[in-house]
Coordinates of all heavy atoms in Angstrom, one line a residue:
A1 N -167.7 18.3 -126.8 CA -168.7 18.3 -127.8 C -168.1 17.8 -129.1 O -167.6 18.5 -130.0 CB -169.2 19.7 -128.0
L2 N -168.1 16.5 -129.3 CA -167.4 15.8 -130.4 C -168.2 15.8 -131.6 O -169.4 15.4 -131.6 CB -166.9 14.4 -130.0 CG -166.0 14.3 -128.8 CD1 -165.6 12.9 -128.5 CD2 -164.8 15.2 -129.0
L3 N -167.6 16.0 -132.7 CA -168.2 16.0 -134.0 C -167.2 15.5 -135.0 O -166.0 15.7 -134.9 CB -168.7 17.3 -134.5 CG -169.6 17.4 -135.7 CD1 -170.9 16.7 -135.5 CD2 -169.9 18.9 -136.0
T4 N -167.6 14.7 -136.0 CA -166.7 14.1 -137.0 C -167.1 14.6 -138.4 O -168.3 14.6 -138.8 CB -166.7 12.6 -136.9 OG1 -166.4 12.2 -135.6 CG2 -165.7 12.0 -137.9
T5 N -166.1 15.0 -139.2 CA -166.3 15.4 -140.6 C -165.5 14.5 -141.4 O -164.4 14.0 -141.0 CB -166.0 16.9 -140.8 OG1 -166.3 17.2 -142.2 CG2 -164.5 17.2 -140.6
F6 N -165.9 14.2 -142.6 CA -165.2 13.2 -143.5 C -164.8 13.8 -144.8 O -165.4 14.8 -145.3 CB -166.1 12.0 -143.8 CG -166.6 11.3 -142.5 CD1 -167.8 11.6 -142.0 CD2 -165.8 10.3 -141.9 CE1 -168.3 11.0 -140.8 CE2 -166.3 9.7 -140.8 CZ -167.5 10.0 -140.2
N7 N -163.8 13.3 -145.4 CA -163.4 13.6 -146.8 C -162.7 12.4 -147.4 O -162.6 11.4 -146.7 CB -162.5 14.9 -146.7 CG -162.6 15.7 -148.0 OD1 -162.7 15.2 -149.1 ND2 -162.6 17.0 -147.8
E8 N -162.2 12.6 -148.6 CA -161.4 11.5 -149.2 C -160.3 12.1 -149.9 O -160.3 13.3 -150.2 CB -162.3 10.7 -150.1 CG -162.8 11.5 -151.3 CD -163.7 10.6 -152.2 OE1 -163.8 9.4 -152.0 OE2 -164.3 11.2 -153.2
C9 N -159.2 11.3 -150.2 CA -158.1 11.8 -150.9 C -157.6 10.7 -151.8 O -157.7 9.5 -151.6 CB -157.0 12.3 -150.0 SG -156.3 11.0 -148.9
D10 N -157.0 11.2 -152.9 CA -156.4 10.3 -153.9 C -154.9 10.1 -153.6 O -154.2 11.1 -153.6 CB -156.6 11.0 -155.3 CG -156.1 10.1 -156.5 OD1 -155.4 9.1 -156.2 OD2 -156.3 10.5 -157.6
L11 N -154.5 8.9 -153.4 CA -153.1 8.6 -153.0 C -152.2 8.3 -154.2 O -151.1 7.9 -154.0 CB -153.1 7.4 -152.1 CG -153.3 7.6 -150.6 CD1 -152.1 8.3 -150.0 CD2 -154.6 8.2 -150.3
S12 N -152.7 8.6 -155.4 CA -151.9 8.3 -156.6 C -150.5 9.0 -156.6 O -149.5 8.3 -156.9 CB -152.6 8.8 -157.9 OG -153.8 8.1 -158.0
A13 N -150.5 10.3 -156.3 CA -149.2 11.0 -156.3 C -148.2 10.5 -155.3 O -147.0 10.3 -155.5 CB -149.5 12.5 -156.1
V14 N -148.8 10.2 -154.1 CA -147.9 9.7 -153.0 C -147.4 8.3 -153.4 O -146.2 8.0 -153.1 CB -148.7 9.7 -151.7 CG1 -147.9 8.9 -150.6 CG2 -149.0 11.1 -151.2
K15 N -148.2 7.5 -153.9 CA -147.8 6.2 -154.3 C -146.7 6.2 -155.4 O -145.7 5.5 -155.4 CB -149.0 5.3 -154.8 CG -150.0 4.9 -153.7 CD -151.0 3.9 -154.2 CE -150.3 2.6 -154.4 NZ -151.4 1.5 -154.8
R16 N -146.8 7.2 -156.3 CA -145.8 7.3 -157.4 C -144.5 7.7 -156.8 O -143.4 7.2 -157.2 CB -146.3 8.3 -158.4 CG -147.3 7.8 -159.4 CD -147.4 8.7 -160.6 NE -147.9 10.0 -160.2 CZ -149.1 10.4 -160.2 NH1 -150.1 9.5 -160.5 NH2 -149.5 11.6 -159.9
L17 N -144.5 8.7 -155.9 CA -143.3 9.1 -155.2 C -142.6 8.0 -154.4 O -141.4 7.9 -154.5 CB -143.6 10.3 -154.3 CG -143.9 11.7 -154.9 CD1 -144.3 12.7 -153.8 CD2 -142.6 12.1 -155.6
R18 N -143.4 7.2 -153.7 CA -142.9 6.1 -153.0 C -142.2 5.1 -153.9 O -141.1 4.6 -153.6 CB -143.9 5.5 -152.1 CG -144.4 6.3 -151.0 CD -145.5 5.6 -150.1 NE -144.9 4.6 -149.4 CZ -145.2 3.3 -149.4 NH1 -146.2 2.9 -150.3 NH2 -144.7 2.4 -148.7
E19 N -142.9 4.8 -155.0 CA -142.3 3.8 -155.9 C -141.1 4.3 -156.6 O -140.1 3.6 -156.8 CB -143.4 3.5 -157.0 CG -144.6 2.7 -156.4 CD -145.7 2.5 -157.5 OE1 -145.5 3.1 -158.6 OE2 -146.7 1.9 -157.1
Q20 N -141.0 5.6 -156.9 CA -139.9 6.2 -157.6 C -138.7 6.3 -156.7 O -137.5 6.1 -157.2 CB -140.3 7.6 -158.1 CG -139.2 8.3 -158.9 CD -139.7 9.6 -159.5 OE1 -140.8 10.0 -159.4 NE2 -138.8 10.3 -160.2
Y21 N -138.9 6.7 -155.4 CA -137.7 7.0 -154.6 C -137.5 6.0 -153.4 O -136.6 6.2 -152.6 CB -137.9 8.4 -154.0 CG -137.9 9.5 -155.0 CD1 -139.0 10.2 -155.4 CD2 -136.7 9.8 -155.7 CE1 -139.0 11.1 -156.4 CE2 -136.7 10.8 -156.6 CZ -137.8 11.5 -157.0 OH -137.8 12.5 -157.9
Q22 N -138.3 4.9 -153.4 CA -138.2 4.0 -152.2 C -136.8 3.4 -152.1 O -136.2 3.4 -151.0 CB -139.2 2.9 -152.4 CG -139.3 2.0 -151.2 CD -139.9 2.7 -150.0 OE1 -139.2 3.3 -149.2 NE2 -141.3 2.6 -149.8
D23 N -136.3 2.9 -153.2 CA -134.9 2.2 -153.1 C -133.9 3.2 -152.6 O -133.1 2.9 -151.7 CB -134.6 1.6 -154.4 CG -135.4 0.4 -154.8 OD1 -136.1 -0.1 -153.9 OD2 -135.5 0.1 -156.0
S24 N -133.8 4.4 -153.2 CA -132.8 5.4 -152.8 C -133.0 5.9 -151.4 O -132.1 6.2 -150.7 CB -132.8 6.6 -153.8 OG -134.1 7.2 -153.9
F25 N -134.3 6.0 -151.0 CA -134.6 6.5 -149.7 C -134.1 5.4 -148.6 O -133.5 5.8 -147.6 CB -136.2 6.6 -149.5 CG -136.6 7.3 -148.3 CD1 -136.7 8.7 -148.2 CD2 -136.9 6.6 -147.1 CE1 -137.1 9.4 -147.0 CE2 -137.3 7.2 -146.0 CZ -137.4 8.6 -145.9
V26 N -134.4 4.2 -148.9 CA -134.0 3.1 -148.0 C -132.4 3.1 -147.9 O -131.8 2.9 -146.9 CB -134.5 1.8 -148.4 CG1 -133.9 0.6 -147.6 CG2 -136.0 1.7 -148.2
K27 N -131.8 3.2 -149.1 CA -130.3 3.1 -149.2 C -129.7 4.2 -148.4 O -128.7 4.0 -147.7 CB -129.9 3.2 -150.6 CG -128.4 3.0 -150.8 CD -128.0 3.0 -152.3 CE -126.5 2.9 -152.5 NZ -126.2 2.8 -153.9
R28 N -130.3 5.4 -148.4 CA -129.7 6.6 -147.8 C -130.0 6.6 -146.3 O -129.2 7.0 -145.5 CB -130.2 7.9 -148.5 CG -129.6 9.1 -147.8 CD -129.8 10.3 -148.7 NE -129.2 11.5 -148.1 CZ -129.2 12.7 -148.7 NH1 -129.7 12.9 -149.9 NH2 -128.6 13.7 -148.1
H29 N -131.3 6.3 -145.9 CA -131.8 6.5 -144.6 C -131.9 5.2 -143.8 O -132.1 5.3 -142.5 CB -133.1 7.3 -144.6 CG -133.0 8.6 -145.2 ND1 -132.2 9.7 -144.7 CD2 -133.5 9.1 -146.4 CE1 -132.4 10.7 -145.5 NE2 -133.1 10.4 -146.6
G30 N -131.9 4.1 -144.4 CA -132.1 2.8 -143.7 C -133.4 2.5 -143.2 O -133.6 1.7 -142.3
V31 N -134.5 3.2 -143.7 CA -135.8 3.0 -143.3 C -136.7 3.2 -144.6 O -136.4 4.0 -145.4 CB -136.2 3.9 -142.2 CG1 -136.2 5.4 -142.6 CG2 -137.6 3.6 -141.6
K32 N -137.9 2.5 -144.6 CA -138.8 2.7 -145.8 C -139.5 4.0 -145.7 O -139.8 4.5 -144.6 CB -139.8 1.5 -145.8 CG -139.1 0.2 -146.3 CD -140.2 -0.9 -146.5 CE -139.6 -2.1 -147.0 NZ -140.6 -3.2 -147.3
L33 N -139.9 4.5 -146.8 CA -140.7 5.7 -146.9 C -142.2 5.2 -146.9 O -142.6 4.6 -147.8 CB -140.4 6.5 -148.2 CG -141.3 7.7 -148.5 CD1 -141.1 8.7 -147.4 CD2 -140.9 8.3 -149.9
G34 N -142.8 5.5 -145.8 CA -144.2 5.1 -145.7 C -145.2 6.2 -145.9 O -144.9 7.3 -146.3
F35 N -146.5 5.9 -145.7 CA -147.5 6.9 -145.9 C -147.6 7.8 -144.8 O -148.0 9.0 -144.9 CB -148.9 6.2 -146.1 CG -149.0 5.4 -147.4 CD1 -148.9 4.0 -147.5 CD2 -149.2 6.1 -148.6 CE1 -149.0 3.4 -148.7 CE2 -149.4 5.4 -149.8 CZ -149.2 4.1 -149.9
M36 N -147.3 7.3 -143.6 CA -147.5 8.1 -142.4 C -146.8 9.4 -142.4 O -147.2 10.5 -141.9 CB -147.2 7.3 -141.1 CG -147.5 8.0 -139.8 SD -149.3 8.5 -139.6 CE -149.9 6.9 -139.1
S37 N -145.5 9.4 -142.9 CA -144.7 10.6 -142.9 C -145.4 11.7 -143.7 O -145.3 12.9 -143.4 CB -143.3 10.4 -143.4 OG -143.3 9.7 -144.7
F38 N -146.1 11.3 -144.8 CA -146.8 12.3 -145.7 C -147.9 12.9 -144.9 O -148.2 14.1 -144.9 CB -147.3 11.6 -146.9 CG -146.2 11.3 -147.9 CD1 -145.6 10.1 -148.0 CD2 -145.9 12.3 -148.9 CE1 -144.6 9.8 -148.9 CE2 -144.9 12.0 -149.8 CZ -144.3 10.8 -149.8
F39 N -148.6 12.1 -144.1 CA -149.8 12.6 -143.4 C -149.3 13.5 -142.2 O -150.0 14.4 -141.8 CB -150.7 11.4 -142.9 CG -151.6 11.0 -144.0 CD1 -151.2 9.9 -144.8 CD2 -152.8 11.6 -144.2 CE1 -152.0 9.5 -145.8 CE2 -153.7 11.1 -145.2 CZ -153.3 10.1 -146.0
V40 N -148.2 13.1 -141.6 CA -147.7 13.9 -140.5 C -147.3 15.3 -141.1 O -147.7 16.4 -140.5 CB -146.4 13.3 -139.8 CG1 -145.7 14.3 -138.9 CG2 -146.8 12.0 -139.1

């Protein structure tokens, strides 16, 4: 019995974090900080 509900979210804070820490994140872990990890 499938039903879908919707909402929306503001990605401003996540985008700021990615911009602020992307270079250091890549340097330390060797992979980019994407949006999917936040949603997981």
Side-chain angles (χ1 to χ4, degrees):
L2 299 183
L3 189 63
T4 304
T5 184
F6 303 94
N7 210 318
E8 62 180 355
C9 62
D10 182 351
L11 273 294
S12 297
V14 170
K15 291 189 70 174
R16 284 195 297 269
L17 283 175
R18 293 181 70 238
E19 292 172 359
Q20 182 176 356
Y21 296 106
Q22 187 69 271
D23 291 342
S24 56
F25 190 89
V26 172
K27 184 177 180 180
R28 179 168 183 176
H29 301 293
V31 65
K32 287 186 176 182
L33 177 61
F35 291 102
M36 185 60 80
S37 55
F38 286 93
F39 279 91
V40 169

